[in-house]
Amino acid sequence: MSARWRRWPFARRLRVAAAAVALNIASILLGPGAHTALAAQKEAPLAMRCAEFAGAVLPPELIALPTAGAQIESASMVSATAPGNQQGGEYCRITGRIKALKASTPDIRFDVNLPRHWNGRALQIGGGGYNGVVVSGTGVMPFSPDRAPLAQGYATFGDDSGHVGDSSLAVFGLVDEAVTNFGYAHLKKTHDAALALIARAYGRPPQRMYFAGGSTGGREGYTVAQRFPDDYDGVIANSPALNFSGVRMIGVKLGQAEYATPGGFIPPLLLEQVYQRTLAVCDRLDGAADGIVSDVAACREHEAEIVASLRCAGRKPSRDDCLVEPQLATLMVMRDGLSLPYKLAWDVSGYRGYNVFQGTHLTGSLGLGHQAERLAVPRFFANGYLFAQGDGYMRYFVARDADFDSLRFDPQHPGKYRTQLIALSQTIGAMNTDLARYIARGGKLITLQGLADEVISPNQTIAYHQALVDRFGVDEVNGFMRLYMVPGFQHGSGAFIPSVDLLGALDKWVTRGASPETLIATDIAAATNGRSRPLCRYPLFPRYMGKGNVNLASSFVCAEP
């Protein structure tokens, strides 16, 4: 039997092993007679099986990482005509909690949704910011034009990563087990609990398990591929916060430039001037005057010219005309990134800078600060998203002191906080390039990132991709990964907001071997809704061919920078 097992293809062995796991799960949940119960389940209505979950307890042995088990709080059928159900079908909604080892640690709250008409696949969905809110898994995926995954027949699930609060709150950083949960453990714990429920409901485990998320959810996508490669067949990880400690520290450096340096604050009117100047110089470099800087490499060659035109240089400063040296220095902090004289986990020594002078708009709700005074507790709009998030990280995760003043923190010389910074980068970061096991089992990875992202540096994402190429070679990376860098796209907003079916592309790649190449995205930005552009595989970008409708993707070609 063992010789026959070894002759089977890896994918078949994996499915057989998964079926054995499902039977073991059923044995634990159902007790004696599990084989018979599983067979009978195929004939039992989903509503009957759904009701059985209410009040159920999942023992700790069903979850690979240490927990005190899970408690199902509710399980009920949601009819196709129920108010608020836009999924187009009936499904079983399950809510529960995964208990922590310590009573002082918050539970991991989770939702699982089981469609009546199941396609045999499951999708775990990531969160955002510092999480803190349960990802319901019932809605349409961000920037996807198609129906919600649940409506397509996917069993979906998500969680709150192990604490309660909005995405700006970092107070849970004071609790060790909560930090570990947020960093990576909640992903595995929720996965295992959901897998048990799916196998119990349908009598078999999913044939395919996918993960999808953006920002923090993008980091979570890379995390599951790195830490739990045997659990997933495919991952969509957009705008990933891979270098979590790095992006938090550069946020603190920005705050220091704006609020601890006299004259460093840049009012929104001047930030708008910076953006408009980059458009004036760089918009047409791709052949089309469409409000999008697509040829970022060519635009970078004009950076000195752009900066010189923005510098006051003897002119009398005004609120909307030119920038004085401290204001330019603030922008240079963001452009240059962060270089550290010590190494974080996985040999990381800094954070890559942003495309500040290549079409990134810094006046939005996730941009730089909108008021010249720093609040005692910085907030996104008032003091800038990066600074507010970085300040919370330093207070609660690093210093573990609510009164800590992040404006006095020196990332280059962290002193007594260095050990904690390095430990956190290991727990929360996703910069490990060892994806060998994920590649070997056939896992696929799709990443979409805005070239004008003002929160997650596009150059950090590109650098990680290059590190994979350096490690595995370009052919190996092309065999399992697709990277799409989107001109004009910021962190959920921008001059171009792409709508594209990445889940469909991932599923076709995994199940049919149809690797995605150039994709077509429809713009959902309010001012330009409906125009289309090709999504080009990195390092290509869309160049206008010089004729045809500038609002149609067919008028563009993917070109080398």
Side-chain angles (χ1 to χ4, degrees):
M1 180 67 177
S2 61
R4 180 186 177 192
W5 169 267
R6 286 193 296 271
R7 287 196 299 269
W8 284 353
F10 179 82
R12 185 180 180 189
R13 281 184 276 158
L14 190 65
R15 287 194 294 272
V16 171
V21 170
L23 183 56
N24 181 55
I25 289 168
S27 298
I28 294 172
L29 291 177
L30 299 176
H35 288 78
T36 303
L38 282 173
Q41 275 185 164
K42 295 180 180 179
E43 304 301 325
L46 179 62
M48 184 183 300
R49 285 170 269 158
C50 183
E52 293 175 358
F53 288 121
V57 174
L58 277 62
E61 55 263 36
L62 280 182
I63 300 172
L65 297 182
T67 72
Q71 173 74 50
I72 304 304
E73 295 187 318
S74 68
S76 59
M77 293 298 295
V78 178
S79 71
T81 57
N85 181 7
Q86 301 177 359
Q87 312 316 312
E90 189 177 22
Y91 67 96
C92 171
R93 180 173 185 263
I94 301 171
T95 68
R97 293 175 178 266
I98 300 171
K99 300 293 183 179
L101 296 176
K102 295 182 178 180
S104 58
T105 302
D107 296 336
I108 300 170
R109 300 175 300 155
F110 67 89
D111 283 8
V112 178
N113 309 289
L114 307 173
R116 174 179 289 280
H117 301 292
W118 186 39
N119 66 7
R121 298 162 174 78
L123 175 67
Q124 184 173 5
I125 303 174
Y130 282 115
N131 290 335
V133 178
V134 176
V135 177
S136 71
T138 60
V140 175
M141 288 181 62
F143 319 120
S144 173
D146 216 333
R147 295 183 301 157
L150 180 59
Q152 298 177 51
Y154 285 87
T156 63
F157 59 98
D159 63 76
D160 66 357
S161 82
H163 62 277
V164 177
D166 68 42
S167 64
S168 68
L169 296 177
V171 180
F172 70 95
L174 297 171
V175 183
D176 287 340
E177 193 175 0
V179 171
T180 300
N181 280 336
F182 173 72
Y184 64 90
H186 77 101
L187 300 164
K188 176 63 173 172
K189 293 173 181 178
T190 301
H191 167 276
D192 289 359
L195 181 63
L197 296 170
I198 293 168
R200 170 68 180 92
Y202 297 113
R204 59 187 175 92
Q207 294 173 307
R208 303 293 181 188
M209 178 70 75
Y210 300 138
F211 187 96
S215 195
T216 284
R219 170 184 62 80
E220 292 169 346
Y222 277 83
T223 296
V224 300
Q226 293 166 13
R227 292 183 183 263
F228 314 115
D230 295 332
D231 289 341
Y232 299 87
D233 299 289
V235 168
I236 298 169
N238 296 336
S239 308
L242 299 171
N243 187 351
F244 198 83
S245 290
V247 73
R248 293 299 176 248
M249 283 194 282
I250 198 172
V252 170
K253 291 287 287 184
L254 266 175
Q256 292 169 347
E258 287 186 283
Y259 297 107
T261 304
F265 175 77
I266 311 171
L269 284 175
L270 269 180
L271 289 174
E272 182 65 26
Q273 182 80 352
V274 174
Y275 177 67
Q276 293 300 332
R277 182 58 185 157
T278 64
L279 285 185
V281 174
C282 298
D283 184 5
R284 296 176 180 270
L285 295 177
D286 61 355
D290 55 2
I292 303 171
V293 177
S294 292
D295 194 343
V296 169
C299 183
R300 191 167 283 120
E301 295 179 2
H302 293 270
E303 184 171 290
E305 166 195 341
I306 293 170
V307 171
S309 70
L310 292 167
R311 178 176 276 116
C312 288
R315 288 181 284 166
K316 184 178 180 180
S318 67
R319 291 182 56 85
D320 59 357
D321 182 31
C322 62
L323 282 78
V324 295
E325 292 307 315
Q327 292 171 328
L328 282 172
T330 295
L331 294 181
M332 295 308 176
V333 167
M334 194 171 186
R335 183 204 68 177
D336 294 342
L338 181 67
S339 179
L340 301 174
Y342 57 92
K343 296 293 180 66
L344 300 174
W346 299 299
D347 208 34
V348 171
S349 59
Y351 191 80
R352 300 302 177 104
Y354 296 73
N355 294 331
V356 173
F357 301 104
Q358 290 81 42
T360 300
H361 209 176
L362 298 174
T363 62
S365 59
L366 299 182
L368 297 183
H370 281 69
Q371 69 179 50
E373 296 76 30
R374 176 212 174 185
L375 300 178
V377 178
R379 305 300 296 173
F380 292 172
F381 188 79
N383 301 131
Y385 182 88
L386 287 174
F387 176 44
Q389 292 285 47
D391 178 82
Y393 190 68
M394 293 305 151
R395 289 175 191 253
Y396 298 107
F397 284 75
V398 179
R400 312 197 103 172
D401 176 2
D403 296 323
F404 182 76
D405 184 1
S406 66
L407 292 184
R408 297 180 180 273
F409 176 76
D410 183 358
Q412 273 85 10
H413 304 93
K416 64 180 181 180
Y417 302 116
R418 177 171 166 173
T419 299
Q420 177 70 349
L421 275 171
I422 295 172
L424 286 168
S425 69
Q426 170 76 32
T427 300
I428 303 176
M431 291 292 286
N432 185 3
T433 57
D434 186 3
L435 291 173
R437 189 174 179 90
Y438 188 69
I439 296 170
R441 74 170 303 260
K444 306 302 181 188
L445 171 63
I446 296 177
T447 288
L448 180 150
Q449 164 96 43
L451 280 164
D453 198 317
E454 73 276 45
V455 173
I456 302 302
S457 171
N459 300 308
Q460 183 67 74
T461 302
I462 290 170
Y464 181 85
H465 177 267
Q466 184 58 49
L468 289 178
V469 171
D470 293 343
R471 180 167 189 153
F472 296 105
V474 66
D475 291 340
E476 185 94 326
V477 172
N478 287 341
F480 85 96
M481 182 180 182
R482 289 291 181 269
L483 175 59
Y484 296 96
M485 303 301 297
V486 188
F489 183 38
Q490 302 210 180
H491 204 71
S493 63
F496 185 90
I497 306 176
S499 178
V500 60
D501 184 13
L502 294 183
L503 182 58
L506 179 69
D507 187 54
K508 290 176 183 176
W509 196 6
V510 170
T511 61
R512 305 180 197 172
S515 55
E517 299 300 330
T518 300
L519 303 176
I520 303 300
T522 301
D523 191 0
I524 57 174
T528 47
N529 190 285
R531 65 178 174 176
S532 61
R533 289 288 184 276
L535 285 187
C536 303
R537 288 180 53 189
Y538 175 79
L540 306 182
F541 73 93
R543 181 190 294 280
Y544 182 56
M545 292 189 293
K547 59 181 179 179
N549 190 334
V550 75
N551 292 318
L552 295 180
S554 57
S555 301
F556 291 77
V557 63
C558 289
E560 292 277 357

